[in-house]
């Protein structure tokens, strides 16, 4: 049984804050329940185990973000636009939810549970491969891992720049998405224009 989505949302936000503030993957169910202002039973009802609390939260968060992007861009047929907008959505969310951004920056590359952000079924990988199949991109298929590393590194660095106040999410989001598309083979002017279109709303999962 899964608790009401509002309770799960409070649990996620509280977990993000605690993990990000401490820079540690260790918190207790009691600490999380207190921070989220829910009963301990609510934690268990959402499929979270005391022994794997960080991994459970991290897995849920990676699935949640990518599924929201897929839902938000469901009617967009161009894989290049989907990829560019997905990059910008990550960066915008970090601006709107700094604890989420800090959590991503701290743990995205240091924990296996977070790898779904970049390598899972709902990650950008299918869009990148579709762009290659549609001849929107120009890279060798064996370079896919390097391409995903470039995208992930660019997104995380951009999030850090936003959190530190060096760039606005709009500036760095458009610039990073533009550079990624150019690196993948999209024409410079087209990449510039695509990455400055109005960004769709990030829908709830």
């Amino acid at each position: 049984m899964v608790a009401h989505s509002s309770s799960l949302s409070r649990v996620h936000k509280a977990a993000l804050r605690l993990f990000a503030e401490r820079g540690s993957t260790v918190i207790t169910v009691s600490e999380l329940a207190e921070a989220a202002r829910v009963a301990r039973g609510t934690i268990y009802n959402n499929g979270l185990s005391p022994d794997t609390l960080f991994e459970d939260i991290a897995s849920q968060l990676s699935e949640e973000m990518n599924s929201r992007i897929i839902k938000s861009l469901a009617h967009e047929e161009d894989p290049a636009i989907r990829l560019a907008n997905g990059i910008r959505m990550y960066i915008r969310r970090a601006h709107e939810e700094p604890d989420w951004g800090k959590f991503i920056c701290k743990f995205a590359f240091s924990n296996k549970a977070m790898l779904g952000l970049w390598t899972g079924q709902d990650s950008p990988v299918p869009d990148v491969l579709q762009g290659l199949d549609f001849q929107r991109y120009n890279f060798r298929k064996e370079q896919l891992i390097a391409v995903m590393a470039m995208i992930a590194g660019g997104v995380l660095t951009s999030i850090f720049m936003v959190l530190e106040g060096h760039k606005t999410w709009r500036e760095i989001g458009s610039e990073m998405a533009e550079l990624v598309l150019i690196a993948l083979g999209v024409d410079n002017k087209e990449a510039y224009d695509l990455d400055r279109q109005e960004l769709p709303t990030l829908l709830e999962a």
Side-chain angles (χ1 to χ4, degrees):
M1 175 182 177
V2 176
H4 192 275
S5 59
S6 62
S7 297
L8 181 58
S9 177
R10 288 202 302 275
V11 170
H12 280 173
K13 288 179 180 179
L16 286 175
R17 186 173 67 255
L18 290 173
F19 287 131
E21 286 175 352
R22 298 181 182 185
S24 168
T25 61
V26 179
I27 60 174
T28 67
V29 171
S30 296
E31 289 172 329
L32 180 55
E34 182 179 358
R37 297 183 179 180
V38 299
R40 284 169 53 92
T42 300
I43 308 296
Y44 298 112
N45 288 340
N46 277 286
L48 303 174
S49 165
D51 298 327
T52 57
L53 193 55
F54 177 86
E55 288 75 12
D56 293 341
I57 290 287
S59 295
Q60 288 183 4
L61 287 170
S62 62
E63 292 169 4
E64 177 252 8
M65 182 56 181
N66 287 334
S67 65
R68 289 178 67 182
I69 290 176
I70 289 172
K71 182 177 180 180
S72 302
L73 304 177
H75 301 296
E76 178 53 63
E77 296 182 356
D78 187 344
I81 294 178
R82 290 201 302 270
L83 177 60
N85 284 345
I87 290 171
R88 295 164 67 202
M89 285 175 169
Y90 262 90
I91 298 168
R92 180 177 65 184
R93 184 174 180 184
H95 162 75
E96 295 173 345
E97 301 176 37
D99 286 335
W100 182 86
K102 292 174 185 175
F103 181 87
I104 295 293
C105 282
K106 285 182 181 293
F107 300 113
F109 285 146
S110 63
N111 191 276
K112 291 182 179 179
M114 297 294 290
L115 291 179
L117 286 170
W118 322 110
T119 61
Q121 183 177 355
D122 292 336
S123 75
V125 169
D127 278 342
V128 171
L129 289 174
Q130 188 180 56
L132 188 62
D133 291 340
F134 287 4
Q135 298 185 336
R136 289 291 274 143
Y137 304 146
N138 181 24
F139 66 90
R140 300 188 307 278
K141 200 164 187 178
E142 62 266 26
Q143 294 176 305
L144 178 63
I145 292 177
V147 167
M148 296 313 302
M150 175 184 67
I151 294 170
V155 169
L156 290 175
T157 303
S158 298
I159 287 175
F160 178 80
M161 297 292 281
V162 170
L163 294 175
E164 292 297 308
H166 299 302
K167 283 275 193 175
T168 68
W169 73 263
R170 287 183 178 86
E171 291 171 338
I172 195 67
S174 293
E175 291 167 356
M176 184 54 64
E178 176 188 356
L179 290 171
V180 166
L181 290 187
I182 291 172
L184 295 181
V186 177
D187 174 76
N188 287 26
K189 185 179 183 306
E190 183 184 8
Y192 178 91
D193 292 339
L194 290 180
D195 297 315
R196 282 155 182 83
Q197 295 179 1
E198 182 176 355
L199 188 61
T201 300
L202 181 61
L203 302 176
E204 294 297 329

